[in-house]
Amino acid sequence: MSLGAHYTPYHPKWYRRRVSVWWWLQTWSYTRFVLRELTSVFVALFAVVLLWHIWALELGPEAYARLLVRLGTPLFVVLHGVAFVFVLFHSITWFNLAPKAMVVRLRGKRMPDWVVVGSNYAAWLVLSLAVAVILLRR
Amino acid sequence: MGRPITPFLWLLFSVGGTVSALLFPVHLFLTGLAIPLGWIDPPRYEALIGLLRHPITRLYLFVIIAFPLVHWAHRFRYTLYDGLQIKHLTALIVVFCYGAALVGSAAAAYLLWNIP
Amino acid sequence: MPATVALAVARYRPEEEPAPTLQTYEVPFREDWVVLDALNYIKDRLDGSLSFRWSCRMGVCGSCGMKVNGTPVLTCAAFLSEHLPGPIRVEPLDYFPVVRDLVVDLSDFMRKLKKVKPWILREEEKPLAEGEYRQTPDQLDAYKQFSMCINCMLCYSACPIYGLEPSFIGPAAIALAQRYNMDSRDQGARERLEILSGYDGIWQCTFVGECTKVCPKNVDPAGAIQQYKLTSAVHWLKTLLPWGAR
């Protein structure tokens, strides 16, 4: 033990580690968390795409036809494919975490998590079918 | 410090998260993949513009655009803080995120209000 | 099964070195040994200078939390056989200042714990003669999960937000505040709101969820925090009403 150390029990010579800028790459669960948070970027992008759809419809039938052609280009198909994966990831994580954030009680008893998660998925299925039927009605 | 509005922003974030989780996959799949790839025929223009003129459709579209944009603003703000460790740029980040969401929502309101 | 297993143990001797280093020890492998047994073997037979905390050896005291192969665990519950083949990396918990070897300083948590007033608060104590405060099994059930916390600090060590924002009150302290907020005998929820909903409280949390995953007692601090966000948001909405709470 060296005699050079000058600190008292009240001022110990702590070692503190700085958090790396790359902390979210250190374990898979942190990476998964950051990917989950980044789904919001694709959610926002698709909201902008919806605005684009509305705008094209307002401009008239020709603009709508141009929109359909544009959406069929490989670039947009690939972009939509990637966005679809992220948006699905958002839906699944959102539904699965819901029972943690919101406790549903029925006559004082906490509903089991699977009931909350299950009703989320049921609502998802029903709403998706409804949207598909209304949008594709001939 | 007055009344912090974080709880309010979080409520909007949650509503936006729920709305987009429930409704975005089907919209994205139909309009972005199934129709462009030819698995389903695209709806006719007349059918869509008719649908769009209905007030409930307009309200619906405003909800599924504005809330998800705020959802992004709130979530992305914290991702920038934590992922890049740039909390000292708070003012800039807040203006960029919520500002963009506000502009997008205003654009949605304008477009939906002025449907011919 | 191997006869021995290597442990790479973090050493930090503040008198001698500016930063921690890893030191490898070869210990006998036994099916029924946990990492804590191996550390005690090192201390007794190989190197008496190794410092670490432990007490009960049965997952109750919460003293022996360390990072084993990068994951925060109670070393009394981490079997060597689950971490084969070696070397098994044993390090102090993340985000707390290291005092020596595997020992970290927990004063920060102790200060924060006190701030959230984790005890039963009453507007007015009723006289002793009127008897105890009674509770139904359902009322007990509402907070019981949060009362299992043993202050082992694994959740803090798993929380990147605490690492990035050291002023964050953190998972265990918020879960313990919720333990009293949800207790039917307690009337202090309003008093705790100020600190829990303040700058260093729940709004720092982005629901990484790791605190709940590493908790050895299934306390679910992540759930406690998210549920409290809803409570706080509802309270905020009420303040908008003219007849609502202040």
Side-chain angles (χ1 to χ4, degrees), chain B residues 44-102:
Chain B
R44 286 178 306 109
Y45 175 78
E46 290 71 26
L48 282 185
I49 195 79
L51 200 59
L52 198 55
R53 286 200 181 103
H54 198 287
I56 291 179
T57 317
R58 297 192 206 187
L59 183 68
Y60 168 81
L61 284 171
F62 182 73
V63 166
I64 71 165
I65 291 171
F67 284 103
L69 282 176
V70 181
H71 167 83
W72 161 79
H74 195 68
R75 207 169 212 187
F76 195 60
R77 167 188 159 197
Y78 284 97
T79 314
L80 287 177
Y81 284 175
D82 303 333
L84 302 176
Q85 299 191 17
I86 47 173
K87 210 157 193 171
H88 51 284
L89 300 176
T90 298
L92 198 69
I93 294 172
V94 165
V95 169
F96 167 66
C97 290
Y98 298 108
L102 216 57

Side-chain angles (χ1 to χ4, degrees), chain A residues 1-2 5 7 13-17 19 23 29-30 33 36-37 97 100-103 105 107-110, chain C residues 12 14-15 18-20 95 97-99 105 138 158 160 163-164 206-208 210 213 220 223 226-227 230:
Chain A
M1 207 172 280
S2 85
Y7 46 88
K13 194 177 159 197
W14 285 335
Y15 176 76
R16 284 176 180 279
R17 195 191 303 271
V19 178
W23 63 268
S29 45
Y30 287 168
F33 157 74
R36 186 193 84 194
E37 299 297 287
L97 290 176
K100 288 235 176 293
M102 200 187 270
V103 173
R105 288 184 187 281
R107 281 186 237 110
K109 290 257 185 276
R110 182 176 172 166
Chain C
Y12 172 58
E15 305 84 2
Y95 311 136
V98 182
V99 178
D105 185 279
D138 277 351
L164 294 163
T206 48
F207 204 174
V208 180
E210 285 303 295
K213 269 194 224 158
D220 191 10
Q226 311 320 309
Q227 288 156 33
L230 189 62

Side-chain angles (χ1 to χ4, degrees), chain C residues 7-200:
Chain C
L7 257 68
V9 183
R11 299 298 311 265
Y12 172 58
R13 286 145 296 201
E15 305 84 2
E16 292 162 25
E17 52 204 359
T21 49
L22 284 180
Q23 189 168 345
T24 305
Y25 301 95
E26 200 75 20
V27 301
F29 174 80
R30 295 224 206 127
E31 194 82 45
D32 56 351
W33 266 16
V34 290
V35 172
L36 183 60
D37 293 318
L39 291 175
N40 273 322
Y41 179 89
I42 296 171
K43 179 127 183 127
D44 294 345
R45 309 282 179 91
L46 305 177
D47 185 347
S49 73
L50 181 67
S51 302
F52 53 96
R53 284 200 190 102
W54 64 283
S55 177
C56 77
R57 295 182 293 113
M58 46 196 276
V60 176
C61 75
S63 309
C64 69
M66 296 167 209
K67 277 202 315 174
V68 173
N69 283 346
T71 309
V73 291
L74 293 181
T75 47
C76 66
F79 282 92
L80 292 176
S81 57
E82 289 164 1
H83 296 88
L84 286 180
I88 302 169
R89 213 167 67 250
V90 186
E91 293 161 295
L93 291 178
D94 267 338
Y95 311 136
F96 293 100
V98 182
V99 178
R100 181 180 204 87
D101 296 341
L102 300 165
V103 180
V104 292
D105 185 279
L106 303 174
S107 327
D108 182 50
F109 168 72
M110 295 306 169
R111 264 194 307 276
K112 286 170 178 165
L113 184 61
K114 213 168 148 189
K115 265 196 214 165
V116 302
K117 304 187 180 174
W119 52 83
I120 286 182
L121 290 166
R122 300 284 303 180
E123 276 150 22
E124 218 176 316
E125 251 346 305
K126 72 177 181 185
L128 211 57
E130 282 178 32
E132 59 277 78
Y133 297 107
R134 297 195 159 207
Q135 207 161 44
T136 66
D138 277 351
Q139 287 170 329
L140 171 69
D141 199 47
Y143 69 83
K144 194 175 171 194
Q145 184 186 19
F146 300 141
S147 74
M148 306 306 278
C149 175
I150 55 173
N151 301 356
C152 66
M153 299 297 100
L154 299 192
C155 54
Y156 281 74
S157 182
C159 173
I161 306 304
Y162 177 61
L164 294 163
E165 198 62 55
S167 62
F168 176 40
I169 295 172
I174 297 178
L176 282 164
Q178 266 304 67
R179 176 251 173 275
Y180 287 92
N181 281 340
M182 315 278 276
D183 191 319
S184 58
R185 301 165 294 182
D186 181 85
Q187 297 170 328
R190 188 69 191 77
E191 219 170 303
R192 290 186 199 101
L193 184 80
E194 213 71 29
I195 178 86
L196 290 180
S197 199
Y199 182 77
D200 292 321

Side-chain angles (χ1 to χ4, degrees), chain A residues 19-21 23-24 36-37 39-40 43-44 46 51 53 57-58 60 64 71 80 84 90-91 94 124 128 135 138, chain B residues 14 17-18 20-22 24-26 28 31-32 36 41 43 45 48-49 51 71-72 75 79 82-83 85 108 111 115:
Chain A
V19 178
S20 151
V21 179
W23 63 268
W24 43 279
R36 186 193 84 194
E37 299 297 287
T39 59
S40 67
V43 165
F46 187 66
L51 276 176
H53 289 193
L57 284 169
E58 277 183 32
Y64 175 62
L71 290 178
H80 275 98
F84 184 61
H90 165 60
S91 300
W94 193 267
W124 191 28
S128 297
L135 199 65
R138 303 276 131 199
Chain B
S14 304
T18 308
S20 54
L22 286 170
F24 272 22
V26 61
L28 206 159
T31 63
D41 287 336
Y45 175 78
L48 282 185
I49 195 79
L51 200 59
H71 167 83
W72 161 79
R75 207 169 212 187
T79 314
D82 303 333
Q85 299 191 17
L111 282 175
I115 291 166

